Amino acid sequence: MTKVRTLAALIMTPLAIAAILLLPTPWLVALTAVVFLAGLWEWFRLAEIDDTLSRTVLLLVNLLLMVALVWASRSSSGGSLVLFQLATVVGVIWWLLAAMWLKHYAFASDHDTHARMFKLAAGTLAVVPAWCALALIHAAQPNGHRWLLVALVIVWVADSGAYFVGRRFGKHKLSPRISPNKTVEGLLGGLVAGIAVGVLGGMFAGADTGQLPLVAAVALLTVGASVIGDLYESLLKRHVGVKDSGNVIPGHGGILDRIDGVLAALPVFALGKAWLGF
């Protein structure tokens, strides 16, 4: 399984990097909309929407919301990204609420209509703001494409760092009821790895020396958000008793399993970058 997982990563990672660095923003936004909506389709499964027609209608509603955001942002002068910025802020607020949800494991776990409604709303609040944040980061000048790559690499490296440090040194469980394999030591390892990559990536993206401490601070918050996103998806899977959100990617499970941390990290990175001005 490890070989299959590694091979899949070796194929997907260069393709993702090439798309981020080479595609113009509208094309990348369209491509990631497909990926994020595919993850949302799996989210509906975790929310126990089993009927294909119902899931299709819900997916179309979210697609129309994305289209509406793009359409409303257009103008004769070239357009405005204000709605995307507002959606990004909403995303950050949602993940703060999600962090509180993690403390109440049983909330919305009773498989009834009300639980589904909470989880369906959570899916939209996770996916659409993350998609808006991705567009904001990539469209920013200068070097928005590089900054988006930095944001994603922070999440990827932090996840790997947490995995290897946790396996080697992990003794204290981070959240045993939600994700028994995650440890405090792994979290610290991921934070260190993410901050280090964030600083190096900041130099690659054009940050000057005085901005690097700000980049490090945003990288820290980004890693923290990615952990919340990962834990929240684990919570959803625990509620319905499944190991993976799907089986689309060999060795990696579903698409949502690969982007759960990214969904939470992108709004935080985008807001931090805009607020601190690097």
Side-chain angles (χ1 to χ4, degrees), residues 42 149 218:
E42 296 176 351
L149 180 60
V218 173

Side-chain angles (χ1 to χ4, degrees), residues 199-238:
V199 171
L200 293 173
M203 292 187 286
F204 164 74
D208 58 44
T209 304
Q211 292 174 321
L212 292 181
L214 303 179
V215 176
V218 173
L220 172 67
L221 295 175
T222 299
V223 174
S226 73
V227 173
I228 293 172
D230 194 345
L231 286 173
Y232 185 78
E233 196 224 356
S234 295
L235 176 70
L236 295 181
K237 291 189 290 189
R238 288 279 173 181

Side-chain angles (χ1 to χ4, degrees), residues 10-32:
L10 289 174
I11 294 172
M12 293 186 299
T13 303
L15 291 175
I17 293 173
I20 293 164
L21 295 180
L22 300 178
L23 289 179
T25 299
W27 283 97
L28 182 68
V29 167
L31 177 62
T32 53

Side-chain angles (χ1 to χ4, degrees), residues 132-150:
C132 290
L134 181 145
L136 286 176
I137 298 168
H138 197 266
Q141 297 296 330
N143 298 326
H145 56 298
R146 293 191 178 189
W147 280 114
L148 178 58
L149 180 60
V150 171

Side-chain angles (χ1 to χ4, degrees), residues 15 17-18 21 36 43 47 56 73 77 79 86-87 152 171 173 178 213:
L15 291 175
I17 293 173
L21 295 180
F36 281 15
W43 190 299
T56 302
S73 298
S77 60
L86 289 173
L152 293 174
K171 293 182 179 179
K173 300 296 184 181
I178 297 174

Side-chain angles (χ1 to χ4, degrees), residues 34-106:
V34 173
V35 175
F36 281 15
L37 287 172
L40 186 58
W41 178 267
E42 296 176 351
W43 190 299
F44 295 155
R45 175 190 172 219
L46 300 183
E48 299 185 280
I49 306 299
D50 298 320
D51 179 63
T52 301
L53 178 60
S54 298
R55 291 168 76 176
T56 302
V57 170
L58 289 167
L59 197 71
L60 286 174
V61 169
N62 282 272
L63 173 60
L64 289 174
L65 177 57
M66 290 176 167
V67 172
L69 285 168
V70 173
W71 179 81
S73 298
R74 300 179 65 185
S75 69
S76 57
S77 60
S80 168
L81 292 174
V82 172
L83 290 177
F84 281 67
Q85 293 168 339
L86 289 173
T88 297
V89 173
V90 169
V92 173
I93 294 171
W94 151 245
W95 286 111
L96 290 173
L97 294 174
M100 297 173 60
W101 189 333
L102 294 176
K103 294 184 177 181
H104 303 278
Y105 176 88

